[in-house]
mmCIF file of all heavy atoms in Angstrom:
data_model
loop_
_atom_site.group_PDB
_atom_site.id
_atom_site.type_symbol
_atom_site.label_atom_id
_atom_site.label_comp_id
_atom_site.label_asym_id
_atom_site.label_seq_id
_atom_site.Cartn_x
_atom_site.Cartn_y
_atom_site.Cartn_z
ATOM 1 N N TRP A 90 128.301 134.882 122.364
ATOM 2 C CA TRP A 90 128.979 136.060 122.939
ATOM 3 C C TRP A 90 129.249 135.886 124.427
ATOM 4 O O TRP A 90 130.304 136.250 124.929
ATOM 5 C CB TRP A 90 128.106 137.303 122.744
ATOM 6 C CG TRP A 90 128.143 137.867 121.368
ATOM 7 C CD1 TRP A 90 128.497 137.231 120.226
ATOM 8 C CD2 TRP A 90 127.787 139.197 120.995
ATOM 9 N NE1 TRP A 90 128.386 138.066 119.149
ATOM 10 C CE2 TRP A 90 127.948 139.307 119.591
ATOM 11 C CE3 TRP A 90 127.341 140.303 121.681
ATOM 12 C CZ2 TRP A 90 127.692 140.460 118.884
ATOM 13 C CZ3 TRP A 90 127.080 141.463 120.979
ATOM 14 C CH2 TRP A 90 127.249 141.553 119.600
ATOM 15 N N PHE A 107 124.751 139.115 133.905
ATOM 16 C CA PHE A 107 125.633 139.094 132.751
ATOM 17 C C PHE A 107 126.036 140.509 132.316
ATOM 18 O O PHE A 107 126.537 140.704 131.210
ATOM 19 C CB PHE A 107 124.941 138.356 131.591
ATOM 20 C CG PHE A 107 124.324 137.052 132.006
ATOM 21 C CD1 PHE A 107 122.947 136.920 132.110
ATOM 22 C CD2 PHE A 107 125.124 135.971 132.339
ATOM 23 C CE1 PHE A 107 122.373 135.742 132.519
ATOM 24 C CE2 PHE A 107 124.560 134.780 132.746
ATOM 25 C CZ PHE A 107 123.169 134.660 132.844
ATOM 26 N N VAL A 108 125.776 141.479 133.184
ATOM 27 C CA VAL A 108 126.127 142.871 132.899
ATOM 28 C C VAL A 108 127.090 143.348 133.986
ATOM 29 O O VAL A 108 126.883 143.099 135.191
ATOM 30 C CB VAL A 108 124.871 143.766 132.855
ATOM 31 C CG1 VAL A 108 125.257 145.221 132.587
ATOM 32 C CG2 VAL A 108 123.903 143.259 131.782
ATOM 33 N N HIS A 109 128.133 144.020 133.567
ATOM 34 C CA HIS A 109 129.107 144.552 134.535
ATOM 35 C C HIS A 109 128.389 145.510 135.495
ATOM 36 O O HIS A 109 127.530 146.301 135.074
ATOM 37 C CB HIS A 109 130.231 145.279 133.787
ATOM 38 C CG HIS A 109 131.410 145.595 134.641
ATOM 39 N ND1 HIS A 109 131.441 146.679 135.488
ATOM 40 C CD2 HIS A 109 132.606 144.946 134.794
ATOM 41 C CE1 HIS A 109 132.595 146.705 136.129
ATOM 42 N NE2 HIS A 109 133.329 145.655 135.717
ATOM 43 N N PRO A 110 128.721 145.465 136.796
ATOM 44 C CA PRO A 110 128.034 146.337 137.766
ATOM 45 C C PRO A 110 128.047 147.806 137.374
ATOM 46 O O PRO A 110 127.067 148.531 137.644
ATOM 47 C CB PRO A 110 128.813 146.082 139.056
ATOM 48 C CG PRO A 110 129.344 144.695 138.896
ATOM 49 C CD PRO A 110 129.665 144.548 137.441
ATOM 50 N N ALA A 135 127.635 149.582 126.925
ATOM 51 C CA ALA A 135 127.523 148.713 128.094
ATOM 52 C C ALA A 135 128.660 147.712 128.047
ATOM 53 O O ALA A 135 129.291 147.507 126.997
ATOM 54 C CB ALA A 135 126.179 148.004 128.126
ATOM 55 N N VAL A 136 128.901 147.087 129.199
ATOM 56 C CA VAL A 136 129.941 146.057 129.292
ATOM 57 C C VAL A 136 129.281 144.764 129.752
ATOM 58 O O VAL A 136 128.632 144.731 130.807
ATOM 59 C CB VAL A 136 131.055 146.471 130.263
ATOM 60 C CG1 VAL A 136 132.106 145.364 130.362
ATOM 61 C CG2 VAL A 136 131.692 147.787 129.827
ATOM 62 N N MET A 137 129.439 143.712 128.960
ATOM 63 C CA MET A 137 128.867 142.408 129.302
ATOM 64 C C MET A 137 129.912 141.550 129.991
ATOM 65 O O MET A 137 131.107 141.639 129.708
ATOM 66 C CB MET A 137 128.369 141.698 128.034
ATOM 67 C CG MET A 137 127.223 142.401 127.339
ATOM 68 S SD MET A 137 126.727 141.565 125.805
ATOM 69 C CE MET A 137 126.224 139.964 126.455
ATOM 70 N N LEU A 138 129.425 140.690 130.896
ATOM 71 C CA LEU A 138 130.286 139.734 131.590
ATOM 72 C C LEU A 138 130.144 138.372 130.929
ATOM 73 O O LEU A 138 129.034 137.858 130.774
ATOM 74 C CB LEU A 138 129.887 139.632 133.072
ATOM 75 C CG LEU A 138 130.040 140.920 133.902
ATOM 76 C CD1 LEU A 138 129.532 140.672 135.319
ATOM 77 C CD2 LEU A 138 131.498 141.362 133.932
ATOM 78 N N ARG A 139 131.268 137.777 130.550
ATOM 79 C CA ARG A 139 131.252 136.474 129.903
ATOM 80 C C ARG A 139 131.486 135.374 130.934
ATOM 81 O O ARG A 139 131.981 135.621 132.042
ATOM 82 C CB ARG A 139 132.323 136.400 128.815
ATOM 83 C CG ARG A 139 132.096 137.388 127.672
ATOM 84 C CD ARG A 139 133.338 137.507 126.803
ATOM 85 N NE ARG A 139 133.765 136.204 126.324
ATOM 86 C CZ ARG A 139 133.393 135.662 125.166
ATOM 87 N NH1 ARG A 139 132.592 136.356 124.368
ATOM 88 N NH2 ARG A 139 133.817 134.490 124.791
ATOM 89 N N PHE A 140 131.143 134.138 130.585
ATOM 90 C CA PHE A 140 131.291 133.016 131.501
ATOM 91 C C PHE A 140 132.762 132.746 131.859
ATOM 92 O O PHE A 140 133.054 132.193 132.918
ATOM 93 C CB PHE A 140 130.661 131.753 130.889
ATOM 94 C CG PHE A 140 129.219 131.581 131.238
ATOM 95 C CD1 PHE A 140 128.248 132.365 130.632
ATOM 96 C CD2 PHE A 140 128.805 130.658 132.189
ATOM 97 C CE1 PHE A 140 126.915 132.221 130.950
ATOM 98 C CE2 PHE A 140 127.474 130.513 132.510
ATOM 99 C CZ PHE A 140 126.518 131.293 131.900
ATOM 100 N N ASP A 141 133.679 133.107 130.950
ATOM 101 C CA ASP A 141 135.090 132.852 131.236
ATOM 102 C C ASP A 141 135.726 133.984 132.036
ATOM 103 O O ASP A 141 136.944 134.015 132.250
ATOM 104 C CB ASP A 141 135.858 132.622 129.938
ATOM 105 C CG ASP A 141 135.819 133.831 129.009
ATOM 106 O OD1 ASP A 141 135.229 134.864 129.387
ATOM 107 O OD2 ASP A 141 136.352 133.726 127.880
ATOM 108 N N GLY A 142 134.920 134.961 132.486
ATOM 109 C CA GLY A 142 135.428 136.051 133.308
ATOM 110 C C GLY A 142 135.850 137.282 132.542
ATOM 111 O O GLY A 142 136.143 138.317 133.151
ATOM 112 N N THR A 143 135.909 137.200 131.213
ATOM 113 C CA THR A 143 136.284 138.366 130.421
ATOM 114 C C THR A 143 135.076 139.255 130.195
ATOM 115 O O THR A 143 133.930 138.874 130.480
ATOM 116 C CB THR A 143 136.871 137.933 129.065
ATOM 117 O OG1 THR A 143 135.866 137.195 128.346
ATOM 118 C CG2 THR A 143 138.102 137.056 129.257
ATOM 119 N N THR A 144 135.337 140.463 129.673
ATOM 120 C CA THR A 144 134.256 141.408 129.402
ATOM 121 C C THR A 144 134.192 141.699 127.912
ATOM 122 O O THR A 144 135.139 141.430 127.163
ATOM 123 C CB THR A 144 134.471 142.724 130.174
ATOM 124 O OG1 THR A 144 135.712 143.308 129.754
ATOM 125 C CG2 THR A 144 134.471 142.477 131.669
ATOM 126 N N LEU A 145 133.056 142.252 127.510
ATOM 127 C CA LEU A 145 132.833 142.557 126.093
ATOM 128 C C LEU A 145 132.142 143.902 125.999
ATOM 129 O O LEU A 145 131.074 144.105 126.587
ATOM 130 C CB LEU A 145 131.976 141.473 125.442
ATOM 131 C CG LEU A 145 131.764 141.580 123.942
ATOM 132 C CD1 LEU A 145 133.067 141.360 123.191
ATOM 133 C CD2 LEU A 145 130.717 140.548 123.492
ATOM 134 N N ASP A 146 132.767 144.846 125.278
ATOM 135 C CA ASP A 146 132.164 146.163 125.061
ATOM 136 C C ASP A 146 131.092 146.057 123.989
ATOM 137 O O ASP A 146 131.341 145.547 122.883
ATOM 138 C CB ASP A 146 133.229 147.163 124.635
ATOM 139 C CG ASP A 146 134.190 147.497 125.756
ATOM 140 O OD1 ASP A 146 133.785 147.419 126.936
ATOM 141 O OD2 ASP A 146 135.358 147.817 125.456
ATOM 142 N N VAL A 147 129.880 146.528 124.295
ATOM 143 C CA VAL A 147 128.771 146.427 123.350
ATOM 144 C C VAL A 147 128.020 147.747 123.298
ATOM 145 O O VAL A 147 128.188 148.623 124.159
ATOM 146 C CB VAL A 147 127.792 145.303 123.741
ATOM 147 C CG1 VAL A 147 128.483 143.964 123.777
ATOM 148 C CG2 VAL A 147 127.144 145.599 125.086
ATOM 149 N N ASP A 168 128.337 144.213 119.019
ATOM 150 C CA ASP A 168 129.723 144.123 119.489
ATOM 151 C C ASP A 168 130.513 145.326 118.963
ATOM 152 O O ASP A 168 130.872 145.390 117.793
ATOM 153 C CB ASP A 168 130.347 142.806 119.008
ATOM 154 C CG ASP A 168 131.749 142.598 119.548
ATOM 155 O OD1 ASP A 168 132.267 143.502 120.241
ATOM 156 O OD2 ASP A 168 132.328 141.532 119.282
ATOM 157 N N SER A 170 133.523 146.181 119.816
ATOM 158 C CA SER A 170 134.939 145.875 119.591
ATOM 159 C C SER A 170 135.157 145.397 118.170
ATOM 160 O O SER A 170 136.127 145.798 117.505
ATOM 161 C CB SER A 170 135.416 144.817 120.590
ATOM 162 O OG SER A 170 134.658 143.617 120.448
#
Side-chain angles (χ1 to χ4, degrees):
W90 282 21
F107 313 107
V108 179
H109 193 279
V136 179
M137 295 177 61
L138 297 177
R139 297 166 55 92
F140 270 75
D141 61 2
T143 61
T144 60
L145 185 67
D146 291 332
V147 300
D168 184 356
S170 60

